Amino acid sequence: MRRIPAVFAVLGLSALALVGCASAPGASAASCERPTTDSSAIGLIDVTGEFGDPTVTVEPPVYVDETVFADEIVGEGRAVTTRAQDVQFTTAILNGKTGETLVTAPSQVLPVSQWATQYEGIAKMLECATEGSRIVGAVPADDLGEQAATSLGVADGESAVFVIDLHTVYLAAADGVPQRMTDNSLPQVVLAPDGRPGIVVPDSDPPADLAVEVLKKGDGEEVTADSNVRVHYTGVTWAEREVFDSSWEKGASATFTLDGVVPGFAQALEGQTVGSQVLAVIPPELGYGDQASGSIPAGSTLVFVIDILGIDQTPTQ
């Protein structure tokens, strides 16, 4: 039995500050508006090919003073309403001066904020974009980090052309309908404004059997035994009342199949839906048993709060 892995370590985050129950941040999809552009640079970019396999040609040179973009295809899926959301896309990148194709490849699953560290232009192109969209844009060197601009061969005053086929937009935190707990003897959960959970463990003895409470009920895809599910989670031990693992603290969501986690964690998630938040109290025999694991003492009852952000459908390359 293994710990739940994080797929990508990003900048460390400050300690959790609990301020009571709150919703996850970010504008609603209805209030998120895509800007329009009349830049002539977009007319120099031609895109063909199936979604996820773009073929791009340009009439060089393509120069812009600021990032400009347009949606060639407008998707009908979830919108990017906060930079905390994970996204996965296929991108084609061309040198605007020469028209040379530099990259055509699927991306890793990363939060928009992580892309912004070197590709602020990509982050701007993704804001309020919807899953299933094809976005065509031009990005000046000023909207690229120094390392990115150097690797792409984009000098000061020059630009790069980007085409993004946005495959998947994940939730930043569970956004389902709040549910009333059926067992008030279990730990209580409070949320920070960004959706991070804090877990208040009672002074009583833990339950002998697996206990699962749905704190928020999402209306998304169902988690199955074969799902590659993406989550945020926080785990504490009942006895010590201390966090032993948290994707929130690591700054990145985690993805796994249910056969890659302890049995109680898998049982708590199977059959749940994307957008749900689940509280799971896992007895030792469904956790790490009588063996210690890292900072977890032998015989520990584990308490997890799990936000189901999405289910990976495309390779995370």
Side-chain angles (χ1 to χ4, degrees):
M1 292 180 287
R2 296 169 289 163
R3 283 187 182 241
I4 305 159
V7 295
F8 195 84
V10 296
L11 298 178
L13 300 175
S14 59
L16 175 64
L18 298 175
V19 295
C21 294
S23 298
S28 69
S31 66
C32 204
E33 296 182 1
R34 293 282 281 170
T36 58
T37 181
D38 57 3
S39 173
S40 60
I42 299 299
L44 301 175
I45 306 167
D46 182 66
V47 186
T48 58
E50 296 294 323
F51 188 83
D53 188 22
T55 299
V56 188
T57 57
V58 302
E59 295 181 32
V62 176
Y63 291 127
V64 292
D65 295 325
E66 61 182 6
T67 295
V68 298
F69 56 88
D71 295 331
E72 183 168 292
I73 300 172
V74 178
E76 298 182 356
R78 182 180 294 117
V80 178
T81 58
T82 166
R83 289 192 175 192
Q85 284 171 273
D86 289 313
V87 294
Q88 197 278 330
F89 53 84
T90 296
T91 186
I93 309 175
L94 292 82
N95 186 296
K97 179 180 179 179
T98 65
E100 176 190 4
T101 299
L102 305 173
V103 175
T104 301
S107 73
Q108 293 178 313
V109 176
L110 293 175
V112 176
S113 60
Q114 181 69 8
W115 285 109
T117 60
Q118 282 293 322
Y119 294 92
E120 174 63 22
I122 286 182
K124 290 178 177 178
M125 292 173 66
L126 290 172
E127 288 175 353
C128 293
T130 50
E131 189 175 273
S133 293
R134 171 170 283 179
I135 310 162
V136 179
V139 176
D142 288 346
D143 269 353
L144 296 171
E146 181 178 352
Q147 181 180 353
T150 299
S151 66
L152 297 176
V154 178
D156 288 345
E158 297 179 354
S159 304
V161 170
F162 288 81
V163 173
I164 294 174
D165 285 354
L166 184 53
H167 295 286
T168 310
V169 178
Y170 296 87
L171 295 169
D175 67 347
V177 177
Q179 307 291 300
R180 184 181 298 276
M181 287 186 64
T182 61
D183 186 350
N184 291 326
S185 69
L186 296 178
Q188 300 296 303
V189 178
V190 292
L191 301 180
D194 64 355
R196 299 181 185 209
I199 304 172
V200 182
V201 180
D203 292 332
S204 57
D205 292 334
D209 300 320
L210 175 68
V212 178
E213 290 273 354
V214 177
L215 306 180
K216 295 182 181 181
K217 179 64 175 177
D219 60 2
E221 186 176 352
E222 183 176 311
V223 178
T224 69
D226 298 324
S227 295
N228 198 26
V229 62
R230 185 167 295 275
V231 302
H232 264 315
Y233 66 89
T234 295
V236 304
T237 52
W238 186 289
E240 287 74 24
R241 296 173 173 81
E242 294 181 356
V243 175
F244 62 83
D245 199 5
S246 172
S247 63
W248 295 95
E249 294 291 331
K250 294 174 180 176
S253 63
T255 183
F256 50 83
T257 55
L258 298 191
D259 61 0
V261 294
V262 295
F265 197 102
Q267 291 176 30
L269 281 189
E270 188 167 2
Q272 306 290 356
T273 51
V274 172
S276 296
Q277 183 180 73
V278 179
L279 169 69
V281 181
I282 303 173
E285 61 269 21
L286 295 177
Y288 295 100
D290 58 2
Q291 298 293 318
S293 178
S295 62
I296 304 172
S300 290
T301 294
L302 311 178
V303 181
F304 281 99
V305 174
I306 310 154
D307 285 22
I308 306 174
L309 308 180
I311 295 175
D312 289 3
Q313 305 289 354
T314 54
T316 55
Q317 298 180 15

